[in-house]
Amino acid sequence: MRQLNEFERFVIEQKGTERPFSGEYYQHSAKGVYCCRKCDAPLYLSEHKFNAHCGWPAFDDEIPGAVNRHPDADGRRVEIVCSHCGGHLGHVFEGELLTPKNVRHCVNSVSLHFKPLEEEQAGEPMAKATLGGGCFWCLEAVFKELKGVHSVISGYAGGTEADAEYKRVCSGHTGHAEVVQLSFNPDEISFETLLEVFFQIHDPTSLNRQGNDVGPQYRSVIFIHDEQQAQSANAMITRLNEAKLWDRPIVTQVSAFDGFYPAEDYHRDYFAHHGEQPYCAIVVRPKVDKFRAQFAALRRR
């Protein structure tokens, strides 16, 4: 059994609850297994996780036999515990229609310990890039084709509210931008190469719009994760402006990364699943075709 600190004991052994939006796994999106913090028993797979915008990690399934359910003393909720050690995880809810499985395990981050996939454990270098350039369906479809990019997740970043949800973001009132977050191997593809593709597949001179998509959520923005990314982004913008590739100056923002909110599940792989939908056919497909023509050497084989 793992030695627990005071707060971990409060949640896991005394059935407490962590504050919403405060847990380390609320926005977590890596691939792997979520285990019990106390006994290390596997509980959930990363593919079970979804963004319920509730303030805590949410899962719509569990590893068979890993989780037990008990009615709360008040009879209004159902508690979930680790079947191996009995540690408190959170509560389970049904009938909310948030995913096709219609189940939400609402779990305290502090009750969990995450183990990444073996290839990531083996020491393969991975880095993050977070980019906004209009509708995230377009960016996701292109970046998924790049060699060295291991995952592309559509979502929201750069806002002033403590959470992000599609309709509120589309109102323009939350300050978030639609973005994609990339997990990439810098030994296979550089951050500078990602930026080269980024600047070719959207209009970086258009303020708060891309085509008919208008609003601050569609702004051109690079959320930098470290000082090297900041230097690379600013240097590239300077070079592109000097080259006068566009009639107007670049308005792309370079901002410090301050959090990422994965988009709702129905946005995932949107172009792959809805390629014949009018927006995809008219807006997304031309961007994908342009990428394939200009960056053939960078594509997955």
Side-chain angles (χ1 to χ4, degrees):
M1 294 287 180
R2 188 188 302 269
Q3 188 72 28
L4 303 178
N5 62 34
E6 183 178 355
F7 183 65
E8 290 168 345
R9 289 196 301 273
F10 166 70
V11 173
I12 297 171
E13 296 181 347
Q14 301 172 31
K15 304 185 186 302
T17 302
E18 67 189 4
R19 289 184 298 104
F21 310 108
S22 66
E24 64 175 312
Y25 298 128
Y26 170 56
Q27 301 178 45
H28 195 248
S29 58
K31 294 182 179 180
V33 181
Y34 294 86
C35 302
C36 175
R37 175 89 64 168
K38 183 176 181 179
C39 71
D40 215 30
L43 301 172
Y44 303 100
L45 303 179
S46 54
E47 51 261 44
H48 299 154
K49 194 172 187 294
F50 70 100
N51 191 352
H53 302 282
C54 61
W56 294 273
F59 304 86
D60 66 358
D61 206 346
E62 73 228 55
I63 294 174
V67 176
N68 289 340
R69 306 183 184 201
H70 303 295
D72 261 0
D74 60 14
R76 293 184 296 176
R77 295 187 300 175
V78 176
E79 180 195 11
I80 46 177
V81 301
C82 171
S83 63
H84 183 259
C85 70
H88 176 73
L89 302 175
H91 292 86
V92 65
F93 303 90
E94 300 183 14
E96 298 175 319
L97 300 176
L98 296 177
T99 75
K101 295 180 181 178
N102 204 18
V103 174
R104 173 171 63 97
H105 290 240
C106 185
V107 183
N108 293 287
S109 287
V110 75
S111 297
L112 301 172
H113 168 64
F114 180 75
K115 294 184 178 181
L117 289 179
E118 290 183 3
E119 58 262 33
E120 293 184 37
Q121 289 178 313
E124 183 178 6
M126 299 295 287
K128 297 285 188 185
T130 305
L131 308 170
C135 176
F136 44 34
W137 298 343
C138 300
L139 298 184
E140 180 193 61
V142 170
F143 283 114
K144 274 185 172 292
E145 297 212 358
L146 283 170
K147 282 189 301 185
V149 174
H150 287 222
S151 69
V152 183
I153 302 173
S154 294
Y156 316 102
T160 56
E161 294 191 3
D163 195 10
E165 178 270 331
Y166 185 65
K167 289 184 178 179
R168 295 208 315 277
V169 170
C170 286
S171 74
H173 296 149
T174 71
H176 293 93
E178 288 195 15
V179 300
V180 290
Q181 185 165 92
L182 317 179
S183 179
F184 67 99
N185 184 341
D187 287 346
E188 295 182 85
I189 187 168
S190 68
F191 180 68
E192 289 76 11
T193 300
L194 295 176
L195 292 184
E196 290 176 7
V197 174
F198 171 69
F199 281 112
Q200 288 296 315
I201 59 173
H202 84 294
D203 180 1
T205 70
S206 180
L207 183 64
N208 291 338
R209 73 177 299 163
Q210 288 294 309
N212 291 326
D213 294 327
V214 181
Q217 69 271 28
Y218 298 116
R219 65 188 181 272
S220 178
V221 58
I222 302 167
F223 290 101
I224 54 97
H225 289 255
D226 54 44
E227 182 61 28
Q228 183 59 53
Q229 286 192 0
Q231 293 176 6
S232 297
N234 285 314
M236 184 167 293
I237 290 172
T238 298
R239 289 199 304 271
L240 292 174
N241 274 326
E242 291 174 348
K244 298 186 182 302
L245 300 179
W246 296 274
D247 294 334
R248 297 173 296 179
I250 291 172
V251 296
T252 303
Q253 298 174 357
V254 178
S255 301
F257 176 77
D258 63 354
F260 173 75
Y261 300 88
E264 295 78 357
D265 284 355
Y266 64 84
H267 292 294
R268 188 175 301 165
D269 294 324
Y270 195 88
F271 177 67
H273 295 303
H274 305 280
E276 303 309 315
Q277 187 246 31
Y279 183 92
C280 290
I282 296 171
V283 178
V284 183
R285 187 174 298 280
K287 292 179 182 290
V288 175
D289 290 344
K290 179 180 180 180
F291 159 77
R292 289 172 175 169
Q294 290 186 284
F295 296 97
L298 300 178
R299 293 181 60 197
R300 298 178 186 272
R301 300 298 181 188

